Amino acid sequence: MTTTETTPFRSGFVAIVGRPNVGKSTLLNRILGQKIAITTAKPQTTRNRILGIHTLAGGQILFLDTPGIHRGKSPLNRFMVEQAFAACSDVDLVLLLVEADDPVGGGDDFILEQLGRGRAPVMLVINKIDKVRPEALLPLIDAYRRRFAFKAIVPVSALGGEGVERLVEVVLGGLPEGPAYYPEDMVTDLPERFIVAEMIREQVLNKLRDEVPYGVAVEVESFTEKPEQELVVIQAAVFVEKDSHKGIVLGKGGAMIRSIGQSARKEIERFLGTRVYLELFVKVQKDWTASERGLRRFGYHGK
Ligand code: GDP
Ligand code: MG
């Protein structure tokens, strides 16, 4: 007589943490096969917790993409670090992302010390292995293993995809038995408006590089579907902290904001799968990143 063995369905929450620019958003987008988290070469772009849902035959993984962890003194900075560790206190598994071409550094000690106090097991993901020679990996893995009792250590290239499938298997194996919490075709539970606003903000940061610092927030003011024309009409405001920044975002004769709008529209059309009419306004909200009120206004609330 035989009994059929079925592998249990697993599910749980996984926080992705690491210093800015290690590739957290790139990894999440690669796993989901879709652009949810914005990625740029600039640090600090990810500010809010983003829930990515990955459903497989054997289970469902719910990802949180946390803000980059680093020490800083401004209210926005402190808020982001608090959010990152708060995200870790409530999960089944923490993925700590580091870069393969970075020596094991002091910045990671700070993160490991904090994570060591939590109760969730921690897996180490060594990203950007495309940037180092293969023989450099083993010593690096060894150095990390001596520092912390990681549940697993997995090298990947989030950009190229190498090792990512294996990582997903290892992550799933580390989750408890549980049901699917979301329908299997759902990739995120963030509202479309939020993702649209993030896509616009990404283009502002991309095109303006260092001219306008991080005090850019985007609010979608209206989102109107016109199914008979297969069109979505979106009006959004780009908030800056200073009058002088307004002129930069607008550009000569409005050329910059038009260019931002065109690139953002293409991204949004791809995401929504429909034609989009996008209208952007630039508004000044004086020094919003310096005040608790300003932070709340743009959605950076505490718990
Ligand atoms: P985050 O701040 O941790 O979310 O980092 P991002 O995902 O925004 O990535 C920061 C930068 O690193 C971007 O320019 C990515 O294209 C780049 N990047 C991410 N993963 C890899 C990788 O596996 N290899 C290489 N060479 N670059 C990567
Ligand atoms: Mg990011």
Side-chain angles (χ1 to χ4, degrees):
M1 252 187 4
T2 53
T3 48
T4 36
E5 284 264 323
T6 47
T7 28
F9 197 87
R10 298 178 183 278
S11 60
F13 285 88
V14 177
I16 304 179
V17 300
R19 283 185 279 163
N21 269 327
V22 293
K24 298 179 295 299
S25 303
T26 307
L27 179 66
L28 185 62
N29 290 336
R30 160 70 60 178
I31 291 172
L32 300 176
Q34 197 172 330
K35 184 162 172 165
I36 296 297
I38 74 168
T39 54
T40 66
K42 278 174 173 291
Q44 292 188 40
T45 44
T46 308
R47 284 172 183 169
N48 291 281
R49 292 169 54 160
I50 292 187
L51 181 58
I53 305 162
H54 190 52
T55 308
L56 302 117
Q60 188 170 68
I61 309 173
L62 306 165
F63 285 104
L64 306 172
D65 175 41
T66 62
I69 296 173
H70 63 136
R71 280 176 272 199
K73 292 203 166 62
S74 76
L76 181 58
N77 241 311
R78 271 207 309 272
F79 173 78
M80 290 197 297
V81 173
E82 267 168 33
Q83 284 291 292
F85 288 119
C88 296
S89 63
D90 240 9
V91 296
D92 300 289
L93 191 64
V94 174
L95 295 187
L96 172 62
L97 227 70
V98 295
E99 287 176 272
D101 61 343
D102 219 18
V104 184
D108 295 319
D109 274 345
F110 169 67
I111 295 178
L112 286 173
E113 199 183 296
Q114 298 281 328
L115 292 178
R117 289 192 198 135
R119 38 170 196 85
V122 182
M123 286 185 186
L124 183 73
V125 180
I126 302 180
N127 188 30
K128 308 196 186 182
I129 55 169
D130 54 288
K131 289 171 86 175
V132 298
R133 290 143 53 101
E135 56 271 27
L137 269 181
L138 272 183
L140 190 65
I141 290 173
D142 236 39
Y144 273 111
R145 190 172 286 141
R146 276 197 296 267
R147 279 206 171 199
F148 193 86
F150 293 106
K151 193 178 164 88
I153 299 182
V154 187
V156 301
S157 169
L159 202 60
E162 209 184 337
V164 173
E165 237 174 87
R166 184 166 163 259
L167 172 65
V168 169
E169 276 168 33
V170 174
V171 166
L172 191 61
L175 295 181
E177 277 184 49
Y181 294 101
Y182 293 89
E184 62 178 68
D185 58 351
M186 216 164 140
V187 181
T188 180
D189 83 338
L190 290 171
E192 284 178 343
R193 274 173 176 251
F194 176 84
I195 292 172
V196 164
E198 283 287 283
M199 285 177 166
I200 296 166
R201 194 163 66 85
E202 177 178 37
Q203 292 306 325
V204 175
L205 296 182
N206 271 345
K207 294 200 189 264
L208 291 171
R209 302 275 150 196
D210 301 321
E211 291 162 77
V212 174
Y214 300 104
V216 173
V218 175
E219 240 174 33
V220 171
E221 300 188 332
S222 75
F223 188 107
T224 317
E225 291 177 62
K226 309 210 170 205
E228 65 291 348
Q229 295 163 263
E230 290 176 60
L231 181 72
V232 174
V233 179
I234 299 170
Q235 291 179 311
V238 177
F239 286 90
V240 292
E241 287 198 286
K242 300 198 159 46
D243 289 322
S244 61
H245 292 161
K246 183 173 175 177
I248 297 172
V249 175
L250 285 172
K252 236 193 186 144
M256 179 51 77
I257 192 73
R258 266 201 305 282
S259 162
I260 289 166
Q262 272 163 13
S263 304
R265 178 174 53 77
K266 284 188 200 134
E267 289 275 349
I268 298 165
E269 285 184 336
R270 212 172 305 140
F271 168 65
L272 297 175
T274 173
R275 283 190 308 131
V276 166
Y277 179 80
L278 177 64
E279 204 177 346
L280 296 180
F281 310 93
V282 184
K283 297 182 179 176
V284 178
Q285 179 76 32
K286 288 248 156 73
D287 300 320
W288 68 268
T289 60
S291 73
E292 295 289 338
R293 237 181 97 232
L295 291 173
R296 257 199 305 280
R297 152 103 208 248
F298 292 110
Y300 304 115
H301 334 256
K303 292 136 262 176

